[in-house]
Amino acid sequence: MSKKYVKHKIWTVLLVLALGTVLVLSGCGGSGEGAKPEAGQPPGGAGEGAQDTLIYGRGGDSVALDPAIVTESESLKIGIQVFDTLLEYKESTTEIQPGLAESWEVSPDGLVYTFKLRQGVKFHDGSDFNAEAVAFNFDRWVDPKSPYKFEGDSFDYYDSMFGPDGSRVIKEVKAVDANTVQFTLNKPQAPFLQNIAMPSFSIASPKAIKEKKADFKNNPVGTGPFVFKEWKRNDTITLEKNPTYWKEGQPKLAKVIVRSIPDNTARFNALQNGEIDLMEDLNPDDAKQLEGNSELVKIERPSFNVAYIGFNLKKKTFSNPKVRQALNHAVNKQAIIDALFAGEAKPAVNPMPPTLWGYDESIQDYTYDLNKAKSLLAEAGFPNGLPEPLTFYAMPVSRPYMPDGKKVAEAIQADFEKIGVKVNIQSPEWATYLDDLKAGEKDDLYMLGWNGDNGDPDNFLYTLLDKDTIPGNNRSFYVNEELHKILVKAQVEVDQDKRAELYKQAQVIIKQDAPWIPLVHSTPLMAGKVNLKGFVPCPAGIEAYGNIYFE
Amino acid sequence: MNSYIVKRLAILIPVLLGMTLIVFSIIHAIPGDPAETILGDKATEQSKQALREQLGLNKPWLQQYGTYLSELARGDLGDSIRTRQPIAREMVPYLAATLELTVASMFFAVVVGMNAGIVSAWKRNSWFDYVSMVIALVGVSMPIFWLGLMEQWIFANKLHWLPSIGRMNSRDPVEAVTHLAVIDAVIGGRMDQVWTVIKHLILPSIALGTIPMAVIARITRSSMLEVMDEDYIRTARAKGLASFQVVYKHALKNAAIPVLTVIGLQTGSLLGGAVLTETIFAWPGIGRYIFEAISSRDYPVIQSGILIIAFLFVIINLIVDLLYAVLDRRIRYQ
């Protein structure tokens, strides 16, 4: 075969392919079936017979599917489908209700918890759920040398909720009989039941852990409403119905496919095109498009977060509380909400959301009042505003509580300018951003937020503002001994009313000290098909899909 | 010819070695305690220490690099910190997804771009020439994410012609064998799915392929114009050859070298530049894999990802160089 011939062939092939491409592209319009590429039914899902597969669109993928070894919610969102916990949160609230444990008793000293377990429950691999299984799981988490703690794994949530090795809250977990399990504590822990209900403390099949070992995190086996089927990383996680689930009538769907679609607008496009049925993190701007679409509905997640501007108290400028209060008076929260949150947020007064128990309704916010701000600055010794420009760290990533950090920072920059405070906005890459805040050297003030983990005020107030969490989540380096005493006392108090009272006192102190400008409690938006029923959005953002069905 | 290939391959070794050194040094130049950054606030001192040992961070720099190289030589890219999976295994589906997308994009770019360039040169100063060069100009300056979202909005949401995200129908997926979805659909005998999978490729490959398409169109046009003024073309015309033959056979052959260079470079840049397209079209490719690794500071994955892309870039350049030699005999003696 001559070279000339080969080259001639190549060009012929290329030309034919070119022609083919043109035909393929123009052919898309001609063939009617191209119209319903994914679902096999028109967008909106109104096909004959109810749909029994849910495709859920979210922004990120899970890290691992063993809920005990992860701390981020994308993994826990899958964990809650595959596993059950001893206790669980009532739908859409943070109140606890029986789960795998049907009932429980607490000894008067708050040290012994005895749980009666549900009978006849089986793990997806066919093995029995019983008290031994519960003890196995807790023993796995407590022992740093457990043979079932696989290389690189750590049970960080266990350590953070029940104390690290050396100061554990739980002394012993004992199977009394097949259906009774007893927890003995070293010291009372007020939110103990609340903590037990966290998805991180899901009860996994001991048999599966022993068999799959390190691979368990990719092949989870629990007792939950859905059985894990397949994980294509950064693409889809497929779950199938658990036909013998213990909850009457659940799950209603035959299959759930959870897809990662990182871009919010692309995800919304996919929903409009019928490729997914339900989506998270709808851009406030895209929400307007929903109004004209009769096949889709907007779903609001209860606000369970706070976005705030923190002052770096390591910096001398902010050592005077009057400066902090002055800046609190200078931010027009409502204007920011209208312009940058499309109205889907409430101004924040306190460091925790009003939906949480223990919230102090009586606290008044610092009003938007520039004269007041100026006079406070003057009292602090700055009659002409601050002499030096401040470095303001604005979030480089979007979060449900902060869709566009830089724009919010610019709005605040303009507000501050009016009282003679100049700021330079900086937005380094996210990991550097968090490192810098933790070190507290580069920033003067910063923007951050928090989404509640477990429905306890401790998880906001102590986690974010106690002196114990420096360095860590207390990125303002805010230290108040009185507040610390109250927060620590609230941790060991067993009576919830008394605890609520303590948290109210704490909020008064924090408001007075003003280590932050609490900015907003945003309402995260979701969207779904109009015929999708039974989805109750949960404040913490982690819902079980057992009750979902299509009409 | 053979000695040329051997020489060309020999150059690869120092190039690749240099690359590993650069990638390794950059990662280690990042300030802060990597163990702490990676594991975050909730980690205990024990797990941090364990990670430092696992990553060998407590050893001298040179020793770390030596270990890294020897593992690399054995094909061991280490484990991902985030997922605890061996990277070499974990990366395969991502790499396949990106290769599939890159091939489809370059196919689009080469076929459309070259033909547009050729016809533009052929029919110089015609309306086709003007229109295609305006499109090429717009194409080069089009933000990929905007183009991608517009494509979705028009072709998926409004016209319902094409799916907007993903690689296949996730309600009825094709089983992964090679992780190249088109081939998997064929292997699995899922002929009904082949077309579905191809349809999933169309929008992202147009989004990703638009810039190279525009660049190729412009280079082809100018290179063709140059050649078409040459004497031998006039001779060919004078001999009475059909215009089509003159243009596609005689002129293109000599105009092809700069075009080939551009195709090679563009293909390489597609590999690295796919992050935006992969994000918008929920395409689980290597761009997103590295991007997620960067946001969670998964150093071994970042290292390996960059290395693999650089490696592919070098290989593509090698192929281009070898093709030069096929196209123009003089080159191999240089």
Side-chain angles (χ1 to χ4, degrees):
Chain A
M1 211 181 336
S2 79
K3 237 176 217 163
K4 200 174 150 198
Y5 178 73
V6 171
K7 261 179 258 167
H8 181 77
K9 261 277 190 265
I10 291 174
W11 289 118
T12 316
V13 168
L14 272 180
L15 276 173
V16 169
L17 286 175
L19 200 64
T21 317
V22 174
L23 285 178
V24 164
L25 284 169
S26 60
C28 302
S31 78
E33 65 191 75
K36 308 121 198 169
E38 278 277 309
Q41 54 184 313
E48 62 270 26
Q51 180 184 343
D52 61 0
T53 300
L54 167 76
I55 304 194
Y56 186 92
R58 60 173 179 171
D61 196 16
S62 298
V63 171
L65 300 182
D66 176 357
I69 62 168
V70 295
T71 52
E72 41 74 61
S73 58
E74 296 308 336
S75 296
L76 296 173
K77 278 175 195 168
I78 303 300
I80 199 170
Q81 319 303 336
V82 178
F83 296 92
D84 288 306
T85 38
L86 287 180
L87 305 178
E88 48 191 59
Y89 303 112
K90 270 186 201 154
E91 234 174 20
S92 92
T93 73
T94 48
E95 267 173 73
I96 47 169
Q97 66 179 14
L100 286 174
E102 279 182 317
S103 62
W104 58 93
E105 276 169 21
V106 191
S107 66
D109 59 3
L111 287 177
V112 181
Y113 287 73
T114 311
F115 294 91
K116 278 279 171 212
L117 304 180
R118 205 169 288 278
Q119 299 193 27
V121 177
K122 285 201 186 297
F123 289 107
H124 300 156
D125 59 5
S127 59
D128 288 324
F129 163 76
N130 52 31
E132 290 292 341
V134 177
F136 175 89
N137 277 276
F138 277 86
D139 290 346
R140 176 184 178 221
W141 302 326
V142 77
D143 178 8
K145 295 197 176 60
S146 165
Y148 306 112
K149 179 179 177 178
F150 307 108
E151 199 189 324
D153 291 356
S154 54
F155 304 116
D156 290 331
Y157 255 128
Y158 187 90
D159 292 348
S160 114
M161 306 319 287
F162 299 121
D165 197 25
S167 61
R168 301 281 200 204
V169 169
I170 302 173
K171 188 176 171 189
E172 191 192 12
V173 180
K174 198 172 70 188
V176 178
D177 59 52
N179 300 305
T180 314
V181 67
Q182 198 171 61
F183 287 68
T184 312
L185 308 191
N186 283 317
K187 56 189 174 200
Q189 185 186 45
F192 181 72
L193 293 173
Q194 208 85 30
N195 289 347
I196 289 282
M198 289 171 68
S200 293
F201 308 122
S202 291
I203 306 301
S205 158
K207 178 169 169 252
I209 291 177
K210 286 174 191 162
E211 279 171 6
K212 300 184 191 223
K213 301 199 169 67
D215 204 33
F216 181 78
K217 61 176 92 53
N218 302 319
N219 290 284
V221 178
T223 57
F226 292 96
V227 180
F228 169 78
K229 185 80 182 156
E230 195 192 12
W231 184 8
K232 291 186 192 158
R233 281 182 189 271
N234 273 334
D235 188 23
T236 53
I237 293 178
T238 307
L239 307 169
E240 281 175 358
K241 179 184 188 141
N242 173 2
T244 59
Y245 190 49
W246 55 270
K247 272 188 197 165
E248 199 77 17
Q250 281 198 33
K252 292 170 177 152
L253 293 165
K255 202 174 182 185
V256 173
I257 299 166
V258 181
R259 289 190 84 151
S260 331
I261 307 168
D263 186 79
N264 289 357
T265 302
R267 199 174 325 117
F268 183 55
N269 279 339
L271 177 72
Q272 288 178 308
N273 198 31
E275 287 161 278
I276 57 174
D277 307 309
L278 179 64
M279 68 167 279
E280 292 186 336
D281 298 331
L282 178 67
N283 278 343
D285 290 336
D286 290 334
K288 287 168 210 143
Q289 279 196 54
L290 274 175
E291 287 157 17
N293 192 333
S294 61
E295 281 168 349
L296 301 176
V297 284
K298 181 170 88 177
I299 302 167
E300 293 184 351
R301 220 176 221 152
S303 176
F304 199 56
N305 57 41
V306 62
Y308 59 90
I309 309 299
F311 302 117
N312 180 355
L313 303 189
K314 272 181 152 181
K315 299 292 172 96
K316 242 178 95 188
T317 323
F318 294 119
S319 55
N320 188 337
K322 286 199 172 143
V323 175
R324 300 177 329 234
Q325 289 165 357
L327 293 181
N328 259 283
H329 277 295
V331 174
N332 188 347
K333 294 177 191 173
Q334 194 57 51
I336 290 174
I337 291 170
D338 293 340
L340 301 169
F341 286 79
E344 302 285 354
K346 291 184 198 73
V349 178
N350 290 318
M352 60 190 239
T355 41
L356 189 55
W357 61 268
Y359 183 84
D360 193 339
E361 297 281 355
S362 67
I363 292 177
Q364 292 296 309
D365 201 5
Y366 296 106
T367 48
Y368 175 56
D369 184 342
L370 296 177
N371 290 329
K372 188 84 203 262
K374 280 184 199 155
S375 66
L376 277 167
L377 273 185
E379 281 175 42
F382 303 106
N384 302 315
L386 297 179
E388 300 280 326
L390 302 170
T391 302
F392 183 5
Y393 264 46
M395 283 168 60
V397 294
S398 114
R399 284 286 178 275
Y401 52 76
M402 186 61 73
D404 193 336
K406 280 179 210 162
K407 285 206 180 123
V408 170
E410 282 161 16
I412 291 172
Q413 183 182 39
D415 278 341
F416 283 176
E417 196 106 348
K418 293 174 194 157
I419 58 165
V421 175
K422 284 205 170 54
V423 299
N424 297 326
I425 297 173
Q426 286 192 14
S427 289
E429 165 269 331
W430 186 228
T432 313
Y433 185 93
L434 293 176
D435 280 354
D436 284 357
L437 295 190
K438 200 168 176 181
E441 302 298 335
K442 293 188 182 158
D443 63 303
D444 294 314
L445 64 170
Y446 64 95
M447 168 192 293
L448 214 57
W450 184 258
N451 203 79
D453 291 314
N454 66 348
D456 196 285
D458 182 71
N459 182 245
F460 278 89
L461 302 183
Y462 177 84
T463 308
L464 300 175
L465 289 161
D466 191 83
K467 66 168 191 174
D468 286 355
T469 55
I470 302 172
N473 287 316
N474 183 348
R475 291 182 160 93
S476 281
F477 302 92
Y478 167 56
V479 179
N480 182 316
E481 291 299 337
E482 194 193 347
L483 177 75
H484 174 67
K485 271 184 212 148
I486 293 174
L487 291 177
V488 170
K489 197 171 161 198
Q491 283 181 328
V492 292
E493 176 58 61
V494 185
D495 183 336
Q496 183 165 327
D497 290 338
K498 284 186 192 155
R499 292 188 70 213
E501 207 40 60
L502 288 167
Y503 286 123
K504 284 181 182 171
Q505 289 173 27
Q507 287 163 72
V508 172
I509 296 172
I510 294 164
K511 193 74 207 170
Q512 188 58 38
D513 281 349
W516 289 1
I517 305 171
L519 206 58
V520 297
H521 305 294
S522 75
T523 310
L525 294 180
M526 302 179 69
K529 287 183 179 169
V530 82
N531 63 338
L532 177 125
K533 304 286 167 191
F535 176 75
V536 185
C538 129
I542 298 168
E543 296 95 0
Y545 309 143
N547 265 324
I548 300 181
Y549 63 98
F550 289 91
E551 247 175 20
Chain B
M1 185 75 191
N2 284 341
S3 72
Y4 175 74
I5 296 177
V6 171
K7 254 190 266 171
R8 196 58 193 70
L9 283 172
I11 301 173
L12 271 185
I13 296 167
V15 169
L16 290 175
L17 212 60
M19 256 159 33
T20 59
L21 189 64
I22 292 168
V23 171
F24 191 81
S25 324
I26 290 174
I27 297 283
H28 282 256
I30 295 170
D33 174 5
E36 182 153 346
T37 343
I38 292 163
L39 294 173
D41 297 336
K42 292 197 166 98
T44 57
E45 196 45 50
Q46 281 163 331
S47 41
K48 281 184 217 159
Q49 194 50 42
L51 181 65
R52 274 182 214 121
E53 261 159 46
Q54 187 198 331
L55 293 178
L57 291 171
N58 34 17
K59 296 194 190 110
W61 188 92
L62 208 61
Q63 198 184 337
Q64 286 185 47
Y65 180 61
T67 318
Y68 175 66
L69 277 188
S70 73
E71 279 171 358
L72 209 58
R74 276 181 274 127
D76 180 1
L77 298 174
D79 289 353
S80 158
I81 291 163
R82 202 166 111 94
T83 63
R84 326 265 187 223
Q85 303 293 308
I87 296 169
R89 201 181 70 195
E90 191 178 73
M91 201 188 272
V92 172
Y94 293 109
L95 203 56
T98 295
L99 284 181
E100 191 172 37
L101 182 58
T102 310
V103 168
S105 302
M106 282 319 288
F107 176 72
F108 163 77
V110 169
V111 169
V112 177
M114 276 187 74
N115 283 306
I118 292 166
V119 176
S120 290
W122 183 6
K123 310 270 179 193
R124 192 181 336 177
N125 297 332
S126 68
W127 65 269
F128 181 89
D129 185 18
Y130 291 129
V131 169
S132 60
M133 285 307 114
V134 166
I135 292 176
L137 189 67
V138 173
V140 175
S141 36
M142 185 101 72
I144 293 184
F145 72 90
W146 186 82
L147 178 64
L149 289 172
M150 276 299 133
E151 281 180 10
Q152 288 181 343
W153 188 65
I154 296 169
F155 295 102
N157 294 351
K158 294 296 161 197
L159 299 171
H160 297 298
W161 289 358
L162 294 165
S164 71
I165 50 153
R167 302 180 66 192
M168 61 185 74
N169 181 349
S170 61
R171 286 177 218 261
D172 183 18
V174 174
E175 203 184 334
V177 184
T178 60
H179 297 282
L180 297 162
V182 180
I183 294 172
D184 284 347
V186 175
I187 292 175
R190 306 282 305 275
M191 297 321 282
D192 54 321
Q193 293 295 325
V194 175
W195 176 227
T196 315
V197 169
I198 291 173
K199 277 201 293 193
H200 278 86
L201 265 168
I202 294 173
L203 292 184
S205 50
I206 292 177
L208 188 59
T210 294
I211 292 178
M213 181 268 283
V215 174
I216 290 169
R218 293 172 66 173
I219 293 287
T220 311
R221 180 178 182 272
S222 63
S223 166
M224 283 292 283
L225 283 178
E226 216 168 283
V227 172
M228 276 167 50
D229 282 341
E230 303 254 347
D231 291 343
Y232 78 94
I233 296 292
R234 241 172 296 154
T235 313
R237 280 191 203 275
K239 279 198 309 191
L241 282 176
S243 300
F244 182 85
Q245 240 187 339
V246 172
V247 171
Y248 272 87
K249 221 174 133 190
H250 289 73
L252 186 58
K253 185 183 154 191
N254 286 305
I257 290 208
V259 177
L260 196 62
T261 312
V262 167
I263 291 175
L265 289 173
Q266 290 290 326
T267 311
S269 67
L270 280 196
L271 283 170
V275 178
L276 280 175
T277 318
E278 288 176 0
T279 303
I280 287 162
F281 291 95
W283 197 269
I286 196 92
R288 264 180 71 200
Y289 182 53
I290 297 175
F291 180 75
E292 303 229 334
I294 291 172
S295 24
S296 56
R297 296 227 170 157
D298 196 337
Y299 293 146
V301 172
I302 304 174
Q303 263 173 5
S304 313
I306 296 174
L307 205 61
I308 290 282
I309 287 189
F311 179 71
L312 289 175
F313 198 94
V314 170
I315 295 294
I316 290 166
N317 271 310
L318 173 73
I319 294 171
V320 169
D321 281 0
L322 295 181
L323 280 178
Y324 286 164
V326 174
L327 277 178
D328 189 339
R329 294 177 145 266
R330 283 166 302 177
I331 286 176
R332 76 190 69 143
Y333 300 116
Q334 282 169 4

